[in-house]
Amino acid sequence: MSVITRFAPSPTGFLHIGGARTALFNWLYARHHEGQFLLRIEDTDQKRSTEEAIIEIQKGLNWLGLNWDKEIVFQSVNESRHFEVANHLLNVGLAYKCFSTAEELTEMRQRARVEGGPKGYDGYWRDKGPQNWPSDIAPTIRFKSPETGETKINDQVQGEVIIKNSQLDDMIILRSDGTPTYILAAVVDDHDMGVTHTIRGDDHLVNAARQMQLYNALGWNAPVYAHIPLIHGSDGSKLSKRHGALAVSSYQDMGFLPEALQNYLLRLGWSHGDDEIIATAEAIKWFDLEHVGKSAAKFDLAKLESLNAHYLQKLPTSRAVNIITNRLSKEFGKNITNKQKEYLSLGAPGLLSRAKTITDLVNSAQFYVEERPITIDEKAKKLLLKQDLDEIFRKIILSLEQITQWKTVNIELQMRDLAKKSDIKLGSLAQPLRVAVTGKTVSPSVFEVIMALGKEETMARISDAQKMISK
């Protein structure tokens, strides 16, 4: 059997972190079995569905590298098929017309709460025929749920789940306006798309029992179910915005790499021994449903940042430079010259080793692409002006001019030698030098920075600092 999974979001909002993990698990399972991963947009609620949300969902999946197979299925296009199946159930006596008003349904639910019963709808119209039907009310169509026995789901994560049929009322499968409910539409679409495995949040377990009844009534094979626990906040409570329940696009804007977020989502509820860093190729090779945990996973933004820092440190230089230049161009309107790209290429290792996010990386890289004279922040300016540095800078320039091979190790040795000869601490020499070439009091190793900037640019920046002091 060829494995076919699907991700079926409703386009009523952004692709959130829980939905992204569900999509990832479906994608990995399909890729592991060399099957197909399909995308279905469940847009039957036309009032709440938006084109913007549809676009955001696709952009989020593409950014995470979760490519889908075949054309996107839009559920609203299949409404005539859903109507056909609902009417088939009606015609064979497995569904019926219900004329209960909203007020009557509210009264039924309140009565059930008082009496402690599990059902909301009491089946009033279940066995009534056309002679009882009112002519002034548009009916819904309800499925005749079995009243005795139980429904079993052999869930790949939760194990055997048994729900007594007496706990389930007769669900609506077609609304009074002729549109299908989620329960019916999902069953019909999964069947018609050939879905073999449905991997989704465990908040759908009751839906699975209802859908299993529909599969049995229609004589169709139900997919294999795997209901994964939801994601909670780091404090164990329901995940919210304060925990990190944001749009996937927000994590992109915050400076996270897609491979880092993918790796983090993979480890939220699934494990492979003690492995924490798992590349996509390994994830495809190893992923199974057996090692999905039954307990809710906790989202921890600090852990995601730590993982992102690891992936940043492993970035190829060319990609790092492209990321920096694209961000600087997009957010600050900077036109990066080839010479500045060369500075960034040489300085990238030092920048990457200190960054947790792309935002950190871009902010720390800006001094490499500044036109002279570079901006010196207030803290750095105070350091330059509080002591007599003119003589130190003069000695630094003379010392640097003697270097014939412009390498980090040679620059550092020359500065150490100068500090020793001048009887001053290396830090007293290196810190004003850092301010002169970066405009800040904090940066990667100043010797690495000077190497990346090259002799000519370094000397020019020191000269600018001298001029500022003299003024």
Side-chain angles (χ1 to χ4, degrees):
M1 175 182 68
S2 177
V3 167
I4 299 177
T5 66
R6 51 76 165 172
F7 177 53
S10 298
T12 54
F14 53 72
L15 175 63
H16 58 79
I17 208 73
R21 186 190 63 164
T22 298
L24 174 64
F25 281 17
N26 277 280
W27 183 82
L28 286 172
Y29 194 77
R31 295 293 176 258
H32 175 80
H33 291 280
E34 298 182 349
Q36 294 181 335
F37 168 68
L38 307 180
L39 176 59
R40 180 171 75 233
I41 302 296
E42 299 197 332
D43 59 341
T44 52
D45 187 346
Q46 290 291 300
K47 290 181 180 179
R48 296 177 62 222
S49 298
T50 67
E51 187 64 28
E52 181 184 11
I54 293 172
I55 293 171
E56 282 299 308
I57 288 168
Q58 294 178 69
K59 284 170 63 177
L61 292 175
N62 281 322
W63 181 69
L64 282 170
L66 307 182
N67 55 307
W68 55 91
D69 303 297
K70 298 185 177 181
E71 294 294 320
I72 299 174
V73 173
F74 288 90
Q75 196 167 62
S76 59
V77 176
N78 297 334
E79 283 194 2
S80 61
R81 170 67 171 149
H82 306 146
F83 186 82
E84 172 194 321
V85 173
N87 273 281
H88 165 74
L89 291 170
L90 186 64
N91 293 334
V92 298
L94 293 173
Y96 61 95
K97 293 182 179 182
C98 171
F99 296 87
S100 294
T101 64
E103 293 76 13
E104 290 170 338
L105 291 172
T106 298
E107 186 179 332
M108 290 179 198
R109 284 192 290 270
Q110 291 173 343
R111 186 165 59 247
R113 280 197 293 270
V114 171
E115 297 173 355
K119 293 185 176 181
Y121 176 69
D122 63 9
Y124 179 83
W125 290 96
R126 183 180 177 108
D127 298 313
K128 295 191 179 338
Q131 67 275 12
N132 304 114
W133 294 347
S135 58
D136 59 340
I137 298 177
T140 60
I141 295 180
R142 289 184 181 268
F143 174 69
K144 279 189 177 180
S145 178
E147 295 181 292
T148 59
E150 54 193 23
T151 298
K152 293 183 181 180
I153 302 167
N154 293 313
D155 194 90
Q156 298 298 293
V157 174
Q158 304 297 330
E160 186 178 65
V161 178
I162 299 175
I163 297 179
K164 291 182 179 179
N165 291 333
S166 59
Q167 294 181 302
L168 304 173
D169 60 5
D170 293 344
M171 58 186 165
I172 296 174
I173 57 175
L174 212 64
R175 301 183 185 92
S176 58
D177 62 1
T179 59
T181 59
Y182 162 77
I183 297 291
L184 174 69
V187 165
V188 175
D189 290 345
D190 280 350
H191 172 265
D192 290 357
M193 292 166 67
V195 173
T196 62
H197 293 73
T198 297
I199 305 169
R200 59 189 180 184
D202 61 9
D203 54 331
H204 282 283
L205 261 175
V206 173
N207 287 338
R210 293 182 176 280
Q211 289 172 331
M212 186 67 77
Q213 292 181 349
L214 279 176
Y215 279 110
N216 293 336
L218 292 164
W220 295 345
N221 291 325
V224 176
Y225 283 113
H227 288 87
I228 58 180
L230 301 181
I231 303 172
H232 286 178
S234 56
D235 58 2
S237 62
K238 185 178 178 181
L239 189 65
S240 63
K241 285 186 177 180
R242 67 187 175 90
H243 298 118
L246 307 172
V248 167
S249 58
S250 295
Y251 289 94
Q252 183 178 5
D253 294 340
M254 289 160 62
F256 290 97
L257 291 167
E259 57 266 43
L261 185 57
Q262 185 190 110
N263 189 157
Y264 184 73
L265 292 176
L266 172 64
R267 291 289 289 111
L268 274 181
W270 179 87
S271 62
H272 185 271
D274 295 327
D275 293 296
E276 293 290 341
I277 310 298
I278 303 175
T280 301
E282 292 174 325
I284 291 172
K285 181 180 178 181
W286 295 338
F287 189 81
D288 58 14
L289 297 173
E290 181 182 346
H291 290 93
V292 176
K294 291 185 179 181
S295 302
K298 293 183 179 180
F299 187 89
D300 189 329
L301 189 60
K303 286 186 177 180
L304 174 56
E305 286 182 343
S306 177
L307 191 62
N308 198 63
H310 168 84
Y311 276 94
L312 280 171
Q313 290 169 18
K314 301 295 182 182
L315 272 189
T317 297
S318 58
R319 185 179 169 199
V321 172
N322 284 337
I323 287 173
I324 294 169
T325 55
N326 288 339
R327 275 284 182 106
L328 288 172
S329 175
K330 179 181 177 182
E331 296 182 14
F332 301 98
K334 286 185 176 291
N335 183 24
I336 312 301
T337 66
N338 289 334
K339 191 64 179 177
Q340 290 169 338
K341 287 182 181 178
E342 186 179 326
Y343 299 158
L344 290 171
S345 295
L346 293 170
L351 296 171
L352 292 168
S353 67
R354 302 165 64 91
K356 286 187 177 181
T357 66
I358 290 172
T359 303
D360 294 340
L361 180 66
V362 172
N363 288 340
S364 65
Q366 292 205 45
F367 70 84
Y368 276 123
V369 298
E370 272 203 85
E371 297 294 336
R372 292 183 38 241
I374 64 170
T375 302
I376 296 179
D377 68 30
E378 289 305 312
K379 186 177 179 181
K381 196 176 291 184
K382 287 179 182 178
L383 186 145
L384 282 185
L385 298 178
K386 75 177 182 179
Q387 54 184 303
D388 184 11
L389 296 175
D390 191 60
E391 180 62 20
I392 289 178
F393 280 141
R394 189 184 66 79
K395 288 181 178 180
I396 287 173
I397 289 175
L398 290 174
S399 184
L400 291 176
E401 283 179 343
Q402 297 173 28
I403 300 174
T404 55
Q405 290 187 310
W406 198 257
K407 296 180 180 180
T408 302
V409 63
N410 294 341
I411 295 168
E412 182 174 355
L413 286 173
Q414 194 76 354
M415 291 298 98
R416 286 185 179 278
D417 184 59
L418 175 60
K420 186 176 180 181
K421 288 179 179 177
S422 302
D423 195 25
I424 61 174
K425 293 180 180 180
L426 181 63
S428 298
L429 185 149
Q431 192 63 349
L433 179 55
R434 172 180 283 107
V435 169
V437 296
T438 70
K440 303 179 184 301
T441 56
V442 178
S443 76
S445 163
V446 67
F447 309 120
E448 292 180 13
V449 170
I450 289 172
M451 179 278 299
L453 287 171
K455 182 180 283 191
E456 182 181 347
E457 181 70 12
T458 297
M459 297 300 193
R461 291 190 180 195
I462 296 173
S463 177
D464 290 339
Q466 285 180 301
K467 291 175 184 176
M468 191 195 80
I469 293 170
S470 65
K471 288 181 182 180

